[in-house]
Short mmCIF file of all heavy atoms in Angstrom, two decimals:
data_model
loop_
_atom_site.label_atom_id
_atom_site.label_comp_id
_atom_site.label_asym_id
_atom_site.label_seq_id
_atom_site.Cartn_x
_atom_site.Cartn_y
_atom_site.Cartn_z
N VAL A 111 -7.79 28.63 -26.64
CA VAL A 111 -8.88 29.52 -27.08
C VAL A 111 -9.31 28.99 -28.44
O VAL A 111 -8.51 28.60 -29.27
CB VAL A 111 -8.32 30.95 -27.29
CG1 VAL A 111 -9.32 31.83 -27.96
CG2 VAL A 111 -7.85 31.51 -25.93
N VAL A 155 -10.72 34.77 -37.47
CA VAL A 155 -11.57 35.89 -37.65
C VAL A 155 -11.07 36.54 -39.02
O VAL A 155 -10.07 37.28 -38.95
CB VAL A 155 -11.63 36.86 -36.45
CG1 VAL A 155 -12.49 38.02 -36.85
CG2 VAL A 155 -12.03 36.18 -35.24
N GLN A 157 -11.61 39.16 -42.22
CA GLN A 157 -12.16 40.54 -42.27
C GLN A 157 -13.75 40.49 -42.35
O GLN A 157 -14.37 41.20 -41.62
CB GLN A 157 -11.50 41.36 -43.33
CG GLN A 157 -10.10 41.71 -43.02
CD GLN A 157 -9.43 42.49 -44.15
OE1 GLN A 157 -10.02 43.12 -44.82
NE2 GLN A 157 -8.11 42.44 -44.17
N LYS A 165 -21.21 43.93 -36.33
CA LYS A 165 -22.55 44.37 -36.77
C LYS A 165 -23.61 43.55 -36.00
O LYS A 165 -24.62 44.08 -35.60
CB LYS A 165 -22.77 44.26 -38.26
CG LYS A 165 -21.97 45.37 -38.97
CD LYS A 165 -22.41 45.35 -40.46
CE LYS A 165 -21.72 46.49 -41.17
NZ LYS A 165 -21.96 46.40 -42.65
N GLU A 168 -24.12 44.85 -32.63
CA GLU A 168 -24.98 46.08 -32.60
C GLU A 168 -26.46 45.72 -32.75
O GLU A 168 -27.27 46.26 -32.05
CB GLU A 168 -24.48 47.03 -33.75
CG GLU A 168 -25.16 48.36 -33.71
CD GLU A 168 -24.80 49.25 -34.87
OE1 GLU A 168 -23.97 48.82 -35.71
OE2 GLU A 168 -25.37 50.31 -35.04
N ARG A 240 -21.20 45.90 -26.35
CA ARG A 240 -19.85 45.54 -25.98
C ARG A 240 -19.73 44.09 -25.67
O ARG A 240 -18.81 43.43 -26.09
CB ARG A 240 -19.44 46.28 -24.61
CG ARG A 240 -19.12 47.73 -24.86
CD ARG A 240 -18.85 48.39 -23.54
NE ARG A 240 -19.11 49.82 -23.58
CZ ARG A 240 -18.34 50.72 -24.25
NH1 ARG A 240 -17.29 50.25 -24.88
NH2 ARG A 240 -18.67 51.94 -24.37
N SER A 244 -17.55 41.10 -27.72
CA SER A 244 -16.31 40.81 -26.99
C SER A 244 -15.77 39.46 -27.39
O SER A 244 -16.46 38.49 -27.46
CB SER A 244 -16.69 40.77 -25.42
OG SER A 244 -15.57 40.26 -24.77
N TYR A 249 -15.12 33.67 -28.51
CA TYR A 249 -14.14 32.63 -28.34
C TYR A 249 -14.61 31.70 -27.16
O TYR A 249 -15.08 32.21 -26.14
CB TYR A 249 -12.79 33.20 -27.89
CG TYR A 249 -12.03 33.88 -29.01
CD1 TYR A 249 -11.78 35.27 -28.81
CD2 TYR A 249 -11.58 33.19 -30.17
CE1 TYR A 249 -11.03 35.93 -29.87
CE2 TYR A 249 -10.93 33.90 -31.07
CZ TYR A 249 -10.60 35.25 -30.93
OH TYR A 249 -9.89 35.90 -31.98
N ALA A 435 -3.74 20.87 -65.02
CA ALA A 435 -4.42 22.11 -65.50
C ALA A 435 -5.20 21.91 -66.83
O ALA A 435 -6.17 22.50 -67.02
CB ALA A 435 -3.38 23.20 -65.57
N ASP A 436 -4.68 20.98 -67.62
CA ASP A 436 -5.40 20.81 -68.98
C ASP A 436 -6.42 19.74 -68.96
O ASP A 436 -6.69 19.21 -69.99
CB ASP A 436 -4.29 20.64 -70.00
CG ASP A 436 -3.55 19.39 -69.78
OD1 ASP A 436 -3.74 18.68 -68.72
OD2 ASP A 436 -2.86 18.88 -70.71
N SER A 438 -9.57 19.56 -68.65
CA SER A 438 -10.81 19.77 -69.41
C SER A 438 -10.55 19.74 -70.96
O SER A 438 -11.34 19.34 -71.69
CB SER A 438 -11.49 21.05 -69.02
OG SER A 438 -10.79 22.16 -69.38
N GLU A 439 -9.25 20.16 -71.30
CA GLU A 439 -8.90 20.02 -72.65
C GLU A 439 -8.86 18.51 -73.07
O GLU A 439 -9.35 18.20 -74.20
CB GLU A 439 -7.47 20.61 -72.93
CG GLU A 439 -7.38 22.03 -72.54
CD GLU A 439 -7.98 23.03 -73.45
OE1 GLU A 439 -7.87 22.77 -74.64
OE2 GLU A 439 -8.57 24.06 -73.00
N GLN A 442 -12.27 17.11 -73.32
CA GLN A 442 -12.91 17.54 -74.55
C GLN A 442 -12.55 16.75 -75.80
O GLN A 442 -13.19 16.50 -76.80
CB GLN A 442 -12.60 19.01 -74.86
CG GLN A 442 -13.35 19.91 -73.96
CD GLN A 442 -14.74 20.17 -74.37
OE1 GLN A 442 -15.22 19.81 -75.40
NE2 GLN A 442 -15.56 20.78 -73.46
N ASN B 98 -0.61 25.61 -70.54
CA ASN B 98 -2.04 25.52 -70.78
C ASN B 98 -2.60 26.92 -70.95
O ASN B 98 -2.47 27.77 -70.19
CB ASN B 98 -2.74 24.91 -69.54
CG ASN B 98 -4.19 24.86 -69.79
OD1 ASN B 98 -4.92 25.79 -69.65
ND2 ASN B 98 -4.71 23.70 -70.16
N HIS B 100 -5.58 28.23 -71.26
CA HIS B 100 -6.60 28.82 -70.39
C HIS B 100 -6.09 29.21 -68.98
O HIS B 100 -6.14 30.27 -68.56
CB HIS B 100 -7.76 27.84 -70.12
CG HIS B 100 -8.63 27.79 -71.39
ND1 HIS B 100 -9.41 28.78 -71.79
CD2 HIS B 100 -8.84 26.72 -72.23
CE1 HIS B 100 -10.09 28.49 -72.89
NE2 HIS B 100 -9.76 27.20 -73.13
N HIS B 101 -5.41 28.21 -68.31
CA HIS B 101 -5.08 28.42 -66.98
C HIS B 101 -3.84 29.28 -66.78
O HIS B 101 -3.90 30.23 -66.03
CB HIS B 101 -4.80 27.08 -66.29
CG HIS B 101 -5.96 26.23 -66.40
ND1 HIS B 101 -7.09 26.33 -65.65
CD2 HIS B 101 -6.26 25.14 -67.26
CE1 HIS B 101 -7.97 25.45 -65.97
NE2 HIS B 101 -7.51 24.71 -66.95
N HIS B 144 -10.38 49.30 -47.06
CA HIS B 144 -10.30 47.78 -47.23
C HIS B 144 -9.47 47.42 -48.38
O HIS B 144 -9.19 48.16 -49.20
CB HIS B 144 -11.70 47.33 -47.44
CG HIS B 144 -12.04 45.99 -47.02
ND1 HIS B 144 -11.88 44.91 -47.79
CD2 HIS B 144 -12.41 45.56 -45.73
CE1 HIS B 144 -12.25 43.81 -47.03
NE2 HIS B 144 -12.54 44.18 -45.89
N ALA B 187 -24.85 46.81 -45.08
CA ALA B 187 -26.06 46.61 -44.29
C ALA B 187 -25.94 47.28 -42.96
O ALA B 187 -24.92 47.23 -42.32
CB ALA B 187 -26.35 45.13 -44.08
N LYS B 205 -19.47 52.70 -31.36
CA LYS B 205 -18.87 51.63 -32.19
C LYS B 205 -17.34 51.74 -31.96
O LYS B 205 -16.60 50.75 -31.97
CB LYS B 205 -19.19 51.88 -33.66
CG LYS B 205 -20.60 51.38 -34.03
CD LYS B 205 -20.87 51.69 -35.46
CE LYS B 205 -22.28 51.51 -35.86
NZ LYS B 205 -22.63 51.88 -37.25
N SER B 207 -15.69 52.84 -29.46
CA SER B 207 -15.24 52.28 -28.15
C SER B 207 -15.36 50.74 -28.05
O SER B 207 -14.65 50.15 -27.40
CB SER B 207 -15.96 53.04 -27.01
OG SER B 207 -17.27 52.57 -26.90
N ASP B 211 -12.60 48.07 -27.19
CA ASP B 211 -12.77 46.96 -26.22
C ASP B 211 -12.31 45.65 -26.80
O ASP B 211 -11.64 44.85 -26.08
CB ASP B 211 -14.22 46.83 -25.83
CG ASP B 211 -14.62 47.88 -24.74
OD1 ASP B 211 -13.73 48.64 -24.35
OD2 ASP B 211 -15.75 47.89 -24.18
N ASP B 215 -9.51 43.36 -25.24
CA ASP B 215 -9.77 41.97 -24.75
C ASP B 215 -8.86 40.98 -25.50
O ASP B 215 -8.39 40.05 -24.81
CB ASP B 215 -11.18 41.64 -25.04
CG ASP B 215 -12.10 42.36 -24.04
OD1 ASP B 215 -11.64 42.95 -23.08
OD2 ASP B 215 -13.38 42.38 -24.23
N ARG B 230 -2.44 33.26 -33.83
CA ARG B 230 -3.81 33.26 -34.40
C ARG B 230 -4.54 34.45 -33.86
O ARG B 230 -5.28 35.11 -34.61
CB ARG B 230 -4.55 31.99 -33.95
CG ARG B 230 -4.28 30.79 -34.76
CD ARG B 230 -5.31 29.70 -34.57
NE ARG B 230 -5.24 29.09 -33.21
CZ ARG B 230 -6.23 29.18 -32.34
NH1 ARG B 230 -7.42 29.75 -32.74
NH2 ARG B 230 -6.12 28.63 -31.25
N ASP B 234 -6.33 37.54 -35.81
CA ASP B 234 -7.70 38.02 -35.64
C ASP B 234 -7.76 39.53 -35.33
O ASP B 234 -8.65 40.23 -35.87
CB ASP B 234 -8.30 37.19 -34.47
CG ASP B 234 -8.54 35.75 -34.76
OD1 ASP B 234 -8.35 35.37 -35.96
OD2 ASP B 234 -8.93 34.99 -33.92
N SER B 237 -7.47 41.58 -38.30
CA SER B 237 -8.76 41.67 -39.09
C SER B 237 -9.70 42.75 -38.56
O SER B 237 -10.23 43.52 -39.35
CB SER B 237 -9.53 40.29 -39.00
OG SER B 237 -8.84 39.38 -39.73
N ASN B 304 -11.75 29.00 -67.86
CA ASN B 304 -11.81 27.77 -68.69
C ASN B 304 -13.25 27.71 -69.18
O ASN B 304 -13.66 26.61 -69.61
CB ASN B 304 -11.29 26.60 -67.97
CG ASN B 304 -10.98 25.48 -68.92
OD1 ASN B 304 -10.69 25.82 -70.10
ND2 ASN B 304 -11.00 24.20 -68.53
N ARG B 319 -24.46 20.58 -77.01
CA ARG B 319 -24.34 19.45 -76.13
C ARG B 319 -24.74 19.77 -74.66
O ARG B 319 -24.40 19.02 -73.69
CB ARG B 319 -22.91 18.95 -76.15
CG ARG B 319 -22.45 18.49 -77.55
CD ARG B 319 -21.09 17.91 -77.52
NE ARG B 319 -20.15 18.92 -77.01
CZ ARG B 319 -18.90 18.63 -76.60
NH1 ARG B 319 -18.49 17.37 -76.62
NH2 ARG B 319 -18.11 19.58 -76.18
#
Side-chain angles (χ1 to χ4, degrees):
Chain A
V111 173
V155 180
Q157 289 180 23
K165 285 189 178 172
E168 186 184 355
R240 287 174 204 286
S244 169
Y249 288 115
D436 63 348
S438 67
E439 303 283 321
Q442 288 282 346
Chain B
N98 179 280
H100 283 294
H101 304 285
H144 209 268
K205 283 179 190 170
S207 75
D211 279 1
D215 286 350
R230 279 196 293 118
D234 292 354
S237 291
N304 201 21
R319 299 183 302 161

